[in-house]
Amino acid sequence: MISIQNYYGIVDDEVIHKLYNVSKKLFNKRMVHINSTFVGGGVAEMLSTFIPLMNDIGVEAEWRIQYGVPDFFAITKEFHNALQGDNITLSEHKRRAYLLANERFSTFTRLHHDLIIIHDPQPLPLINYYIKKQPWIWRCHIDLSHPNKELWAYLKKFIIKYDMVIVSNEKYIQDDLPIQFKIINPAISPLSTKNMELSDKEIEGVLQKYKIPTDKKIITQISRFDKWKDPEGVIELFKIVKQKCKDCRLVLCGSMATDDPEGIEIYKRVQKKASSLIESGDIILITVENNFLVNALQRASAVIIQKSIKEGFGLTVTEALWKGAAVVASRVGGIPLQITDGVSGYLLDPQDVDGFAERIIYLLQNESKAKEFGIAGKEHVRKNFLMTRLLLDYMNLMNDIF
Ligand code: UDP
């Protein structure tokens, strides 16, 4: 198992010393994190490394996954979209199903911990079904800059019971809540199968296994098939790139999250839009969930795209930067915290399809610029977005609370 000791040589010694120093004050404190999927998406990705490391350092941490029927996840996906600004009809049925799933989960989930962290809207109403004996924190990973007003008014009734809300960006702080907001940026594990070093041979092996040829330069977007990630826009811009630069191929890699029922529908739309290029082998769509594959793709690609319309933080960008990849991404959500335009990648407005195409072509043709971006991007991630920093943020938070 990976432990804090494995971070020697990756992060500065000072960081490791701080972790041990802060953790001793938290001996015997128990925290639990609750979210609604164990696979797919950034939250599951983070918790799967964060929880074992917390335990390793001596703070008892648990992870519970909320169960739900497909109807519940369809409703909470609508909530997710509406929190990012979509319209929603908040019917009686949706409210009832939302509460019922939470009430059921509470009947078989005992929470004796000293701190409870609830991730995203799915388990938010759980707080209704417990006697509140400890601090509860709502950790929202979504872009809350313009939430749908009706939904926000409804969810506020639950949020108001919490002691704190954690978001990824100061733009997501809501003034109409008398609750402390805190900003904590997400982080990645440099040692996980998704992010660890791979040899050229390993990369080649993985790509071969998934039938991804390397005879042309690879451009990749790794993201759930979700409208906010704009996979259809990626197809559109790739068509422009392809006109000027024949020697390239697009890979769209998007596994399906268990709490995201829209994925299949969007995948089918993308498939239709890209059909002729899929047939010619110039576009490859992948739906398998495999960390080695994501790792190999991020390392083998000449350019990584993240053309999101909205993005809570964008861990895929962090992962790509960590691998020294050249990234062309939208100037939305947490992405500008990660990339300085023209220094460690390119940032564009998501609507600027021509701009995206132009930057991608430039990087395909200028390997030295791509390398320069890669070096700057990796160092920025090392300093700011590795798991040790997230551990420290949570431990400092706990120290403030207890
Ligand atoms: N991911 C993956 N396989 C895929 C698509 C995404 O493993 O096919 C992972 C990706 O590597 C990242 C996470 O899912 O760790 C996505 O996090 P991000 O913050 O980018 O977006 P979210 O899905 O949470 O909106």
Side-chain angles (χ1 to χ4, degrees), residues 41-42 45 194 222-224 229 253-255 289 294 311 314-316 319:
E45 176 69 26
K194 184 172 283 176
I222 290 160
S223 275
R224 292 178 291 109
K229 312 286 183 187
C253 177
S255 60
E289 168 86 28
V294 170
E311 189 64 74
L315 277 178
T316 47
E319 291 159 3

Side-chain angles (χ1 to χ4, degrees), residues 10-245:
I10 299 176
V11 297
D12 298 339
D13 287 353
E14 193 193 346
V15 174
I16 298 187
H17 172 69
K18 262 194 209 155
L19 280 171
Y20 282 112
N21 193 28
V22 179
S23 71
K24 68 177 186 283
K25 300 175 201 154
L26 295 169
F27 175 69
N28 259 349
K29 293 288 177 224
R30 296 162 304 166
M31 73 185 329
V32 62
H33 290 249
I34 305 177
N35 81 317
S36 64
T37 180
F38 64 97
V39 70
V43 181
E45 176 69 26
M46 258 187 302
L47 289 177
S48 64
T49 36
F50 174 83
I51 300 285
L53 280 178
M54 266 295 186
N55 283 312
D56 178 57
I57 204 140
V59 181
E60 278 186 45
E62 285 184 44
W63 178 12
R64 304 272 167 90
I65 292 149
Q66 184 186 25
Y67 305 88
V69 291
D71 188 37
F72 169 70
F73 288 123
I75 291 164
T76 53
K77 185 67 207 284
E78 268 193 67
F79 283 15
H80 176 116
N81 290 343
L83 280 175
Q84 297 208 137
D86 264 10
N87 288 329
I88 187 166
T89 314
L90 207 48
S91 64
E92 195 43 46
H93 163 72
K94 286 178 196 167
R95 292 173 202 237
R96 245 201 328 265
Y98 184 46
L99 293 182
L100 195 63
N102 275 280
E103 186 175 8
R104 277 211 189 113
F105 182 67
S106 75
T107 61
F108 51 83
T109 307
R110 306 322 298 151
L111 299 178
H112 308 293
H113 308 79
D114 300 298
L115 176 63
I116 295 174
I117 317 246
I118 300 291
H119 292 261
D120 283 339
Q122 297 91 337
L124 173 65
L126 268 185
I127 197 164
N128 271 14
Y129 306 105
Y130 291 88
I131 297 167
K132 194 166 174 253
K133 298 178 196 149
Q134 64 285 84
W136 284 59
I137 294 179
W138 187 45
R139 199 320 176 195
C140 181
H141 297 266
I142 299 170
D143 178 342
L144 280 184
S145 47
H146 301 287
N148 172 281
K149 288 205 170 72
E150 190 190 352
L151 180 66
W152 184 249
Y154 172 61
L155 295 183
K156 260 174 72 175
K157 291 181 198 149
F158 311 113
I159 305 170
I160 204 98
K161 296 184 174 174
Y162 282 75
D163 297 273
M164 186 187 285
V165 177
I166 301 177
V167 289
S168 306
N169 200 310
E170 61 181 9
K171 291 183 194 141
Y172 306 160
I173 294 174
Q174 302 293 313
D175 298 333
D176 62 347
L177 271 177
I179 296 181
Q180 187 190 356
F181 272 76
K182 197 172 170 63
I183 296 156
I184 294 188
N185 288 312
I188 60 165
S189 161
L191 301 162
S192 66
T193 45
K194 184 172 283 176
N195 297 313
M196 66 189 191
E197 291 295 328
L198 292 181
S199 67
D200 290 347
K201 204 165 159 222
E202 285 171 316
I203 296 172
E204 217 173 283
V206 179
L207 296 184
Q208 252 174 25
K209 183 174 170 198
Y210 289 96
K211 300 191 171 48
I212 302 165
T214 47
D215 54 324
K216 295 179 180 176
K217 288 183 178 168
I218 302 173
I219 303 168
T220 302
Q221 174 160 301
I222 290 160
S223 275
R224 292 178 291 109
F225 285 93
D226 176 314
K227 66 174 181 173
W228 303 107
K229 312 286 183 187
D230 199 18
E232 293 183 76
V234 176
I235 304 289
E236 212 179 300
L237 80 83
F238 179 68
K239 287 180 180 167
I240 304 173
V241 171
K242 195 71 189 161
Q243 279 167 11
K244 298 210 180 123
C245 192

Side-chain angles (χ1 to χ4, degrees), residues 332-368:
V332 297
I335 298 176
L337 300 173
Q338 305 187 54
I339 294 177
T340 306
D341 186 34
V343 175
S344 51
Y346 285 126
L347 292 177
L348 292 131
D349 292 332
Q351 295 78 14
D352 188 2
V353 180
D354 290 326
F356 261 91
E358 188 193 303
R359 298 296 202 219
I360 291 166
I361 293 166
Y362 178 78
L363 286 171
L364 288 175
Q365 294 170 346
N366 289 276
E367 273 179 37
S368 62

